[in-house]
């Protein structure tokens, strides 16, 4: 791909370092460096109430690695639309997909100015494949599809990835509508790959409420049944919609479940 210009000063000026930010806190929990003191303080406070949160963060990334490997490998899909990218850490979608299939094409989508600042790190690619980044909002799925169609061929299967992002849509029916509208643009044989945190642990609910009270963008913990409804009309791959560590764990491991549920499903 052609080199992209550096993010403009307007984008950088939109980075608010006075309020904690979920992508930066998630980066902190996973050992990253792209965070500020306000994020570390919020992350520590969250961990004090819900000590399992770092395990959940790392389990979610391990789940991404396993699902992308499965989709690119066993299912043979070569196109990935990863919405709600977050900050690059280790084994990002393009790295995993192109490790399996070097000709994979990946489009990342986010509307966060800090992610935009790091877009150059995301835009690495094998010579055979493509990696691109779109600055767009999850709540405008038609605009996302229109922009992504310049890179992805929507007449061929696409893996739609919504990893830990739907909880930021506070209205549940709006979240379901977004999923339906994105899925409608995908051809038969495409995949829906997803996870979100659940409301199944009292400590996690308390910690999340404390985080939401800081003025940061809230994240809604939902029931496993609500999360399962995102998959309606799709053919869910075994073992189903489960706690992420239990989704096709590595042989010889004995993972413990966490309060993050997800799955992989194919569009008929």
């Amino acid at each position: 791909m052609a080199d992209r210009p550096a993010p403009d000063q307007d984008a950088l000026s939109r980075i608010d370092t006075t309020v904690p930010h979920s992508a930066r806190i998630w980066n902190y929990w996973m050992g990253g460096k792209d965070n500020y003191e306000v994020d570390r303080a919020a992350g520590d406070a969250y961990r004090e109430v819900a000590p399992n949160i770092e395990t959940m963060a790392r389990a979610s990334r391990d789940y991404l690695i396993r699902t992308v490997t499965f989709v690119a490998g066993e299912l043979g899909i070569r196109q990935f639309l990863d919405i709600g990218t977050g900050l690059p850490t280790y084994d990002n979608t393009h790295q995993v997909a192109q490790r399996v299939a070097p000709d994979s094409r990946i489009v990342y989508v986010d509307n966060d100015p800090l992610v935009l600042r790091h877009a150059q790190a995301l835009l690495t690619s094998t010579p055979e494949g493509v990696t691109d980044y779109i600055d767009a909002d999850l709540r405008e799925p038609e605009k996302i599809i229109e922009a992504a169609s310049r890179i992805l061929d929507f007449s061929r299967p696409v893996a739609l990835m919504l990893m830990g992002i739907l909880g930021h849509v506070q209205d549940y029916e709006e979240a379901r509508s977004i999923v339906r509208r994105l899925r409608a643009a995908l051809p038969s044989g495409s995949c829906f790959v997803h996870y979100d945190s659940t409301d199944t642990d009292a400590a996690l609910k308390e910690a999340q409420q404390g985080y939401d009270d800081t003025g940061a963008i809230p994240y809604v913990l939902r029931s496993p049944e609500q999360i399962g409804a995102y998959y309606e009309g799709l053919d869910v791959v075994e073992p189903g919609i489960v706690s992420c560590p239990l989704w096709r764990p590595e042989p010889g491991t004995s993972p413990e479940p966490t309060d993050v549920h997800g799955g992989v499903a194919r569009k008929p």
Side-chain angles (χ1 to χ4, degrees), residues 216-258:
I217 298 173
Y219 182 92
V220 181
L221 301 172
R222 295 193 165 109
S223 70
E225 293 76 20
Q226 287 177 309
I227 287 174
Y230 295 140
Y231 297 76
E232 287 178 356
L234 301 177
D235 297 329
V236 180
V237 173
E238 291 294 333
I241 305 160
V242 297
S243 176
C244 286
L246 306 184
W247 195 94
R248 303 195 177 206
E250 295 296 332
T253 63
S254 301
E256 294 291 329
T258 66

Side-chain angles (χ1 to χ4, degrees), residues 174-245:
E174 183 184 6
R176 291 187 66 186
S177 171
I178 288 168
V179 174
R180 285 194 298 267
R181 288 151 65 194
L182 287 167
R183 282 172 33 187
L186 306 181
S188 175
S190 293
C191 276
F192 176 50
V193 188
H194 157 265
Y195 74 76
D196 267 302
S197 299
T198 61
D199 63 358
T200 43
D201 180 75
L204 189 66
K205 291 168 69 174
E206 180 184 347
Q208 187 61 53
Q209 186 59 59
Y211 171 79
D212 294 346
D213 290 344
T214 65
I217 298 173
Y219 182 92
V220 181
L221 301 172
R222 295 193 165 109
S223 70
E225 293 76 20
Q226 287 177 309
I227 287 174
Y230 295 140
Y231 297 76
E232 287 178 356
L234 301 177
D235 297 329
V236 180
V237 173
E238 291 294 333
I241 305 160
V242 297
S243 176
C244 286

Side-chain angles (χ1 to χ4, degrees), residues 66-78 80 159 191 193 264:
R66 295 196 307 279
T67 53
V68 172
T69 298
F70 169 76
V71 169
E74 293 192 37
L75 300 186
I77 291 179
R78 297 291 179 263
F80 295 80
C191 276
V193 188
V264 176

Side-chain angles (χ1 to χ4, degrees), residues 34-108:
D34 297 311
N35 46 74
Y36 298 97
E37 179 57 36
V38 67
D39 308 307
R40 295 188 284 274
D44 291 342
Y46 201 116
R47 186 173 47 201
E48 283 291 317
V49 179
N52 198 39
I53 188 62
E54 281 190 359
T55 300
M56 289 173 58
R58 295 177 188 272
S60 300
R61 178 49 55 112
D62 291 343
Y63 167 79
L64 181 150
I65 295 167
R66 295 196 307 279
T67 53
V68 172
T69 298
F70 169 76
V71 169
E74 293 192 37
L75 300 186
I77 291 179
R78 297 291 179 263
Q79 302 188 107
F80 295 80
L81 179 58
D82 185 344
I83 304 175
T85 302
L87 292 166
T89 53
Y90 60 90
D91 276 344
N92 302 291
T93 297
H94 72 286
Q95 294 166 318
V96 178
Q98 293 181 344
R99 196 156 59 223
V100 176
D103 60 335
S104 295
R105 303 171 73 86
I106 296 89
V107 173
Y108 290 111

